[in-house]
Amino acid sequence: PFAVIAVDEESFAHWNEPLITPRDSLAKIIEFARASGAKLIFVDVELTRFQDGKAFRQECRDKNKPATCAELDPGDARLAQVLTQQQTSSPPIILARTIVSTRDSASGEPRRTVRPSFLDPILGPDHPGVYWASPLYSVDKDHVIRRERLWELACNCTDVEAIPAVELLAVA
């Protein structure tokens, strides 16, 4: 059995219908799921932008200096704090990794690229109990999902990365 915690119209209206999901509210939802005995928490929310809507630019920061929650606005900092407090004994948290399709500027070849999140420098690549996964799936011409895409290959800043599917991590 599983439960889905969805943001309904009433909650969305209570939040004043923001373009960006309020991070402090998202942190509360994660804490609620943890306290309620969830075995797995999947957060299917766009996390590439800051609470104020500005895009995170990985190249803008000093890669030798780790990011801290103090650099973030209060909502983003609260979400980062909840995620960094994750223990290996806590239910795993799977975050949706945003992957975009682009074209290589030199060759014109299609390319899939990881869109970085403001959480990347805070969580790092191996934070215990927090995982990034691809929420993408294939739909046949008749609009039916018949097979899962177990991973996505996408370019990050320096490498090609294999990003596991949410479904794959959920059963792991």
Side-chain angles (χ1 to χ4, degrees):
F2 66 92
V4 174
I5 301 172
V7 177
D8 61 9
E9 292 296 322
E10 185 179 336
S11 298
F12 191 64
H14 179 73
W15 293 344
N16 296 320
E17 301 184 12
L19 294 175
I20 306 289
T21 303
R23 305 301 190 218
D24 55 339
S25 298
L26 189 54
K28 287 177 191 173
I29 291 170
I30 292 169
E31 289 177 319
F32 173 79
R34 256 191 213 143
S36 299
K39 301 292 183 215
L40 173 75
I41 300 168
F42 169 50
V43 180
D44 191 8
V45 172
E46 170 70 53
L47 295 170
T48 61
R49 294 186 175 274
F50 292 101
Q51 176 80 38
D52 64 8
K54 292 180 183 158
F56 173 72
R57 300 276 185 247
Q58 197 161 16
E59 65 274 5
C60 294
R61 69 173 303 98
D62 180 355
K63 291 182 174 63
N64 296 320
K65 177 185 165 221
T68 66
C69 294
E71 298 172 353
L72 301 173
D73 84 357
D76 291 329
R78 180 74 183 110
L79 176 60
Q81 179 186 32
V82 166
L83 294 173
T84 56
Q85 290 173 345
Q86 180 74 359
Q87 304 293 318
T88 53
S89 59
S90 301
I93 296 176
I94 299 174
L95 304 174
R97 175 62 85 192
T98 302
I99 302 168
V100 294
S101 295
T102 58
R103 293 220 171 257
D104 184 89
S105 56
S107 68
E109 292 290 317
R111 173 168 92 170
R112 301 181 61 71
T113 306
V114 170
R115 187 173 287 163
S117 166
F118 71 95
L119 293 168
D120 289 338
I122 295 167
L123 295 172
D126 299 314
H127 191 80
V130 180
Y131 308 95
W132 290 98
S134 169
L136 301 177
Y137 51 88
S138 297
V139 178
D140 286 346
K141 290 180 182 178
D142 61 355
H143 307 289
V144 174
I145 301 170
R146 290 196 173 82
R147 60 190 121 346
E148 303 296 333
R149 290 159 64 166
L150 296 180
W151 65 84
E152 295 293 325
L153 293 177
C155 298
N156 58 28
C157 289
T158 57
D159 272 333
V160 173
E161 182 177 351
I163 303 163
V166 170
E167 300 85 353
L168 188 62
L169 283 181
V171 297

